[in-house]
């Protein structure tokens, strides 16, 4: 069963613009992770944010977490053509089996 | 640069045949996950191991799927007998626990005709 759901399902923007993707989840978590997947390849880890953190940065990436709303956002600033990929959020479960469950992903296209 | 290795990259087989997919996790990683990705279902967790012991395989059809870790350097996922609905990309990922980043292989694309 899906724990996280990304929004939008697809996003197309011009190079240089900022891209924002959102993730909502249903149950309390310990941490939330964001991954990128290029076509035909495996997923690549981007950022892990813990439930007691509100914001995290890594280069052009900024992730926020709002546990009261059970949501997270991934912001990519100054987008590049190479950022074209699918982006997934993944959550564990605070209680129960400790496993990582992925959402359906957002397909991001950066137009040159 | 350490990486997760999956073999084969592609597999085409006929319905009813046995399929074995292999994964070499990153040395030192104690957690191994198997995921299946399809357009319709997205990424589904099939099974995962910690220190070679299976912790959860509730996502797998038990009658035809089996997952094992014969040793710390090899994880296998078997389907017997295979069915067309098993067609998907199967990913293996390893890490240092559920609360640390996962490292994914490039997957095995399985087509069952």
């Amino acid at each position: 069963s899906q724990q996280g759901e990304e929004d939008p399902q697809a996003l197309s923007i011009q190079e240089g613009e900022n891209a924002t993707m959102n993730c909502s989840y249903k149950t309390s978590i310990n941490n939330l992770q964001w991954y990128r997947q290029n076509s035909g390849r495996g997923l690549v880890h981007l950022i892990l944010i813990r439930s007691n953190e509100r914001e995290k940065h890594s280069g052009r990436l900024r992730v926020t977490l709002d546990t009261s709303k059970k949501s997270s956002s991934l912001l990519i600033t100054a987008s590049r053509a190479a950022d074209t990929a699918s982006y997934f959020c993944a959550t564990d479960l605070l209680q129960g089996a400790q496993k990582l469950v992925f959402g359906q992903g957002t397909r991001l296209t950066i137009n040159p | 640069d350490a990486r997760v290795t999956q073999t084969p990259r592609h597999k085409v087989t006929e319905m009813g045949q046995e399929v074995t997919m292999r994964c070499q996790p990153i040395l030192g990683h104690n957690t191994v996950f198997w995921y299946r990705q399809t357009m319709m279902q997205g990424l589904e967790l099939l099974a995962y191991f910690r220190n070679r012991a299976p912790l959860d395989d509730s996502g797998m059809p038990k009658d035809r799927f089996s997952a094992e870790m014969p040793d710390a350097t090899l994880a296998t996922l078997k389907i017997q007998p295979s069915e067309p609905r098993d067609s998907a990309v199967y990913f293996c990922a390893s890490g240092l626990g559920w609360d640390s980043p996962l490292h994914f292989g490039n997957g095995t694309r399985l087509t069952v005709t």
Side-chain angles (χ1 to χ4, degrees):
Chain A
S1 62
Q2 300 293 338
Q3 160 74 325
E5 293 184 6
E6 287 89 345
D7 169 59
Q9 290 188 336
L11 180 62
S12 181
I13 61 174
Q14 294 300 121
E15 196 166 19
E17 293 180 340
N18 295 340
T20 299
M21 289 158 275
N22 303 295
C23 169
S24 59
Y25 55 92
K26 299 171 184 172
T27 61
S28 297
I29 60 172
N30 288 299
N31 65 70
L32 184 145
Q33 304 184 37
W34 284 92
Y35 288 78
R36 183 188 74 225
Q37 184 180 31
N38 291 92
S39 181
R41 307 299 293 267
L43 281 74
V44 175
H45 179 262
L46 297 176
I47 286 185
L48 182 152
I49 186 166
R50 303 196 184 279
S51 59
N52 61 353
E53 297 176 311
R54 291 296 168 259
E55 189 171 307
K56 226 170 177 182
H57 296 82
S58 176
R60 294 183 296 112
L61 306 181
R62 172 179 169 247
V63 167
T64 61
L65 179 64
D66 187 334
T67 53
S68 66
K69 295 181 179 178
K70 292 186 170 57
S71 68
S72 173
S73 67
L74 169 66
L75 168 67
I76 304 174
T77 61
S79 63
R80 305 167 181 169
D83 295 328
T84 294
S86 291
Y87 291 82
F88 296 85
C89 68
T91 52
D92 66 346
L93 300 175
L94 183 60
Q95 295 176 337
Q98 295 174 341
K99 54 187 179 183
L100 207 57
V101 179
F102 286 81
Q104 292 278 24
T106 292
R107 175 67 190 169
L108 175 65
T109 302
I110 309 298
N111 302 303
Chain B
D1 190 22
R3 59 183 63 189
V4 175
T5 303
Q6 289 187 249
T7 56
R9 285 298 312 278
H10 303 273
K11 176 72 175 179
V12 179
T13 191
E14 293 183 346
M15 188 172 94
Q17 296 298 306
E18 177 178 303
V19 175
T20 298
M21 290 168 271
R22 294 177 174 80
C23 167
Q24 181 176 359
I26 292 174
L27 192 64
H29 283 185
N30 63 353
T31 308
V32 173
F33 291 75
W34 282 104
Y35 288 91
R36 175 172 63 183
Q37 186 176 38
T38 61
M39 288 295 291
M40 292 299 295
Q41 299 297 326
L43 274 159
E44 300 174 277
L45 177 62
L46 297 177
Y48 70 105
F49 297 77
R50 178 173 293 170
N51 297 323
R52 295 177 54 202
L55 289 190
D56 189 338
D57 60 1
S58 59
M60 289 199 315
K62 298 288 192 308
D63 56 337
R64 299 184 301 108
F65 285 60
S66 63
E68 296 179 345
M69 278 201 75
D71 60 61
T73 65
L74 177 64
T76 62
L77 181 66
K78 292 185 181 181
I79 307 174
Q80 169 62 24
S82 58
E83 298 180 0
R85 59 178 168 156
D86 301 329
S87 297
V89 181
Y90 291 80
F91 287 103
C92 173
S94 71
L96 292 170
W98 53 270
D99 60 346
S100 67
L102 286 184
H103 298 257
F104 279 76
N106 281 325
T108 293
R109 181 175 294 276
L110 174 65
T111 303
V112 183
T113 60

